Amino acid sequence: MLDLLYLIPLFPLLGVVLNTFVLRGQPEKLVGSVAAAMVGASFVVAIGGFIQLLGMPAESRHFEQELFRWIVVGNFAAQASFLADQLSMIMMLVVTGVSFLIHVYSIGYMHGDEGFRKFFIYLNLFVFFMLLLVMGSNYLVMFVGWEGVGLCSYLLIGFWYTDELKASAGKKAFIMNRIGDFGFLLAIFLIWTTFGTINFREIAPMAQAYPIGAGVITAICLLLFMGATGKSAQLPLYTWLPDAMAGPTPVSALIHAATMVTAGVYMVVRSNFLFTLSPIAMDVVAWVGALTALFAATIGLVQTDIKKVLAYSTVSQLGFMFLACGVGAYTAAIFHLMTHAFFKGLLFLGSGSVIHGMSDEQDIRLMGGLKSKMPTTYWTFLVGTLAIAGIPGLAGFFSKDEILWKTFESHNYVLWAIGATAAFCTAFYMFRLLYLTFFGKFRGSKSQEHHVHESPKLMTIPLIVLAVFSIIGGYVGVPHALGGSNPFHTWLLPLISETTGAHGGTHHGVPTAEYVLMVVSVVIALLGILLARSWYLGKSPTVEALGKSSAQRLLYNKYWVDQIYDTMISQPLVKLSELFAKYIDIGTVDGAVNGVGSTLSGLGGVVRKIQTGVTQNYAVMMSLGVVLLLSAILWTVLG
């Protein structure tokens, strides 16, 4: 089946072609079904590849498929080729599996939209580029996928582009991602000049010749991480992700929760052989991740838009993944990436179901009491909420607990405390969201209350499937302390350079300490849930008092970061652009061009007056010309 690796990205591309040229004017269900079937076919091939890879010896689980020689310039050569190994195979399964469910959900969610066919073209195109990103065997193929998903993200966020707010959100995402992409591109140049190749498997052994802390390796890693902060919405390039919720909800689930935003985490883990050699870069990754996790979680505490709460939650959870990378727990980062795709995809689709049932209302202050009216949505949303809060037995517990444990084990106690605080905030804001949405009395309008209904099966079945995976998905990573063998860790280990602490070796913690921290982690989650229950399940005076506090305004306005960026960066750039436009573009360039045009036009006006159309004038002019010509000849002959 690995010989058919090329089919995995080819199927979604075929969906783009069919829906663009063949299915124009066809019924919605046919258009949506073809798009979903193409992604489903990719998932089937990925499963076949996974089974074949599983049958290989652990140390030789890789398969590289060269399609063609892409670029050859001097000493530089780049192949268009795919790589199937332990890491890329997990990403292929997650991307195709979750994308298939979201495609099915979208058939119901986008029903009746005038851009239905275009929406599925964009979705298929996104999946194609995302698969290029995770399957590429070198940084250049990865970069093509990287840019492609950025383009699709722009198209999908601004899908309803006639709304100025949504169009602006698409442009904001596109521009902020370009900042990070600039760093990624410089990193690729530096990798090639340093190693003479951009192929992952060729660089890995060559990097081992460099000492720990080598300057060039640190520079490469920091530039790579700059790219990751843009794509994965980390400080300071995170502000585009919450605004990206302007797009249709399936887009939020697919691109901004389960797939694209995890590209930065995947890229760092893929480059672990470089990051392992740079303690400085590892520290930067860990601190940025931890601070982002806490920063975004605090903003999520007070947001009132159901999708905005989940958006800041996504930024926070991505921070957890980078925290894991920074302390050398790469397998924990990918483990959380996978479980997060399940429960965050579920939560976003659940929010879409709520919005669908609430006549497009997104303000949770105007909801309430939906538990009985939307039972399937409620129960599946509850599963996702429990999973992300880290309640034992669900997927999020195993993956998040492993990150916190690895952080503590690496002796980064301050980072652990930051992560634990962020985990408390996560449990609090997610249950605040749950209580305000599904419990209490309905607070919307009468017409909304009359309209509220459960979503169709096309939307609820994907919720159920994702809820099941949000429960069982974590059992592939049950730690040894709980009697498991952690097969997920074992699967990835041959590909990963595990380091912690001083980044020089693997530490083995005392099981007792792991048990204690596990209990602490659960207690933290329960405290968050209980606090949310006491404040939001009834009418609490504390909530009213906090609602008028300056702290609430600070968090609700997201620390005014957007306003700070606007004042310190956007507006000065706008003013500078206006000056360039006035004095350079209009004053100098246009002035010079217009001046040449005016001069020639003036000369033409003078010459034009000779062309009077009067025969006598032409005869006079000709006579004068003959006289002048003869005079010139005589002057020349006579001397």
Side-chain angles (χ1 to χ4, degrees):
M1 190 62 86
L2 287 173
D3 292 334
L4 302 177
L5 200 63
Y6 64 94
L7 288 178
I8 297 177
L10 187 62
F11 278 127
L13 189 60
L14 182 60
V16 174
V17 174
L18 289 175
N19 270 324
T20 303
F21 300 107
V22 181
L23 299 179
R24 187 187 295 267
Q26 295 301 312
E28 285 184 355
K29 282 194 175 176
L30 178 60
V31 169
S33 299
V34 168
M38 290 297 111
V39 181
S42 297
F43 181 57
V44 171
V45 177
I47 289 176
F50 170 72
I51 293 171
Q52 187 173 343
L53 213 58
L54 197 63
M56 295 179 177
E59 65 278 4
S60 58
R61 282 179 181 149
H62 59 83
F63 176 80
E64 192 164 343
Q65 186 173 59
E66 292 187 6
L67 302 179
F68 54 88
R69 179 171 286 193
W70 181 16
I71 300 174
V72 179
V73 180
N75 295 327
F76 177 78
Q79 304 286 341
S81 54
F82 297 141
L83 174 65
D85 61 8
Q86 296 93 328
L87 180 58
S88 62
M89 190 52 73
I90 288 173
M91 295 299 294
M92 283 182 237
L93 290 170
V94 170
V95 170
T96 55
V98 176
S99 296
F100 171 70
L101 293 172
I102 293 174
H103 272 69
V104 173
Y105 176 95
S106 300
I107 297 172
Y109 188 86
M110 296 299 290
H111 171 64
D113 192 285
E114 61 181 14
F116 188 90
R117 187 174 61 89
K118 184 173 67 175
F119 180 78
F120 279 92
I121 292 171
Y122 289 168
L123 275 192
N124 271 180
L125 190 63
F126 168 79
V127 176
F128 165 72
F129 279 120
M130 189 66 204
L131 287 168
L132 277 190
L133 193 158
V134 301
M135 292 175 64
S137 68
N138 58 61
Y139 283 103
L140 201 55
V141 176
M142 176 190 275
F143 188 74
V144 172
W146 189 276
E147 290 300 304
V149 295
L151 170 65
C152 293
S153 172
Y154 163 73
L155 294 173
L156 286 165
I157 294 169
F159 183 74
W160 292 315
Y161 60 89
T162 52
D163 184 325
E164 179 61 29
L165 190 65
K166 293 177 171 60
S168 297
K171 286 186 283 188
K172 183 177 183 180
F174 190 78
I175 292 169
M176 293 206 73
N177 270 277
R178 298 290 78 71
I179 298 171
D181 294 352
F182 178 65
F184 188 13
L185 201 56
L186 289 179
I188 295 175
F189 291 148
L190 195 52
I191 287 170
W192 182 72
T193 55
T194 304
F195 299 102
T197 178
I198 52 173
N199 185 288
F200 302 134
R201 292 184 57 78
E202 292 174 1
I203 297 170
M206 296 167 71
Q208 302 311 310
Y210 286 80
I212 299 287
V216 67
I217 301 294
T218 298
I220 290 171
C221 292
L222 292 177
L223 287 169
L224 287 174
F225 185 59
M226 179 179 168
T229 55
K231 194 65 76 184
S232 294
Q234 296 295 286
L235 287 171
L237 300 178
Y238 72 95
T239 57
W240 67 269
L241 181 56
D243 288 2
M245 297 303 114
T249 300
V251 174
S252 306
L254 175 63
I255 298 181
H256 307 123
T259 54
M260 188 190 83
V261 292
T262 61
V265 180
Y266 169 75
M267 183 252 276
V268 170
V269 176
R270 171 60 75 190
S271 309
N272 72 86
F273 46 82
L274 295 173
F275 279 88
T276 301
L277 296 172
S278 174
I280 294 175
M282 294 280 278
D283 286 339
V284 170
V285 173
W287 276 97
V288 169
L291 292 175
T292 303
L294 181 59
F295 184 80
T298 56
I299 296 175
L301 294 173
V302 298
Q303 297 304 305
T304 54
D305 184 314
I306 187 170
K307 287 175 67 178
K308 283 286 179 70
V309 176
L310 296 177
Y312 280 104
S313 167
T314 300
V315 176
S316 178
Q317 297 303 307
L318 289 165
F320 274 103
M321 297 174 208
F322 281 110
L323 170 60
C325 291
V327 298
Y330 298 110
T331 60
I334 294 298
F335 187 28
H336 197 55
L337 183 156
M338 183 186 75
T339 61
H340 180 261
F342 297 147
F343 59 69
K344 188 53 68 64
L346 167 63
L347 290 168
F348 265 115
L349 294 187
S351 74
S353 180
V354 170
I355 294 167
H356 181 78
M358 283 287 298
S359 309
D360 297 329
E361 180 60 63
Q362 296 187 202
D363 192 333
I364 55 177
R365 293 170 299 183
L366 302 178
M367 298 180 185
L370 300 184
K371 178 183 175 183
S372 58
K373 297 179 174 63
M374 307 181 72
T376 307
T377 301
Y378 164 71
W379 286 108
T380 52
F381 201 92
L382 176 63
V383 170
T385 305
L386 290 169
I388 195 173
I391 297 303
L394 287 95
F397 165 75
F398 297 109
S399 57
K400 190 184 293 183
D401 182 74
E402 185 174 349
I403 291 174
L404 291 175
W405 164 239
K406 290 288 184 182
T407 304
F408 189 88
E409 189 189 36
S410 64
H411 308 296
N412 288 297
Y413 304 122
V414 177
L415 290 176
W416 176 85
I418 294 173
T421 308
F424 169 79
C425 293
T426 303
F428 177 82
Y429 66 66
M430 283 309 304
F431 272 84
R432 168 182 174 267
L433 176 63
L434 184 83
Y435 291 137
L436 287 175
T437 304
F438 293 100
F439 290 81
K441 292 183 179 178
F442 187 79
R443 299 179 294 276
S445 65
K446 288 291 181 186
S447 62
Q448 285 176 327
E449 188 172 16
H450 179 71
H451 179 265
V452 173
H453 61 279
E454 184 57 278
S455 298
K457 284 191 176 0
L458 268 176
M459 294 172 66
T460 54
I461 289 175
L463 296 181
I464 295 169
V465 175
L466 284 171
V468 170
F469 279 101
S470 297
I471 297 171
I472 65 173
Y475 286 90
V476 296
V478 177
H480 295 282
L482 293 179
S485 58
N486 205 339
F488 192 88
H489 176 83
T490 308
W491 168 261
L492 281 175
L493 199 56
L495 206 63
I496 301 295
S497 300
E498 286 278 356
T499 60
T500 59
H503 316 296
T506 301
H507 297 263
H508 299 284
V510 181
T512 305
E514 189 170 357
Y515 290 137
V516 171
L517 285 176
M518 211 174 284
V519 172
V520 170
S521 176
V522 174
V523 169
I524 286 171
L526 291 176
L527 286 175
I529 294 170
L530 291 173
L531 187 62
R533 178 186 170 83
S534 67
W535 283 9
Y536 293 99
L537 204 51
K539 191 172 182 180
S540 169
T542 309
V543 174
E544 293 182 10
L546 286 174
K548 300 173 184 175
S549 67
S550 56
Q552 198 275 347
R553 287 196 296 277
L554 177 68
L555 297 178
Y556 186 76
N557 289 289
K558 299 160 280 187
Y559 296 98
W560 285 285
V561 171
D562 276 319
Q563 289 83 346
I564 293 170
Y565 281 1
D566 186 60
T567 304
M568 297 185 66
I569 300 174
S570 299
Q571 290 306 320
L573 286 176
V574 169
K575 295 292 182 189
L576 186 63
S577 299
E578 288 175 349
L579 287 175
F580 274 117
K582 184 176 181 180
Y583 294 106
I584 303 296
D585 192 24
I586 298 174
T588 305
V589 178
D590 283 0
V593 172
N594 292 336
V596 171
S598 298
T599 303
L600 292 176
S601 178
L603 287 173
V606 172
V607 176
R608 178 173 56 81
K609 292 177 180 175
I610 300 172
Q611 305 297 322
T612 61
V614 180
T615 310
Q616 292 86 341
N617 289 346
Y618 294 151
V620 172
M621 296 296 293
M622 188 175 69
S623 301
L624 287 174
V626 170
V627 170
L628 287 174
L629 186 62
L630 289 174
S631 300
I633 294 172
L634 289 173
W635 179 267
T636 304
V637 173
L638 298 176

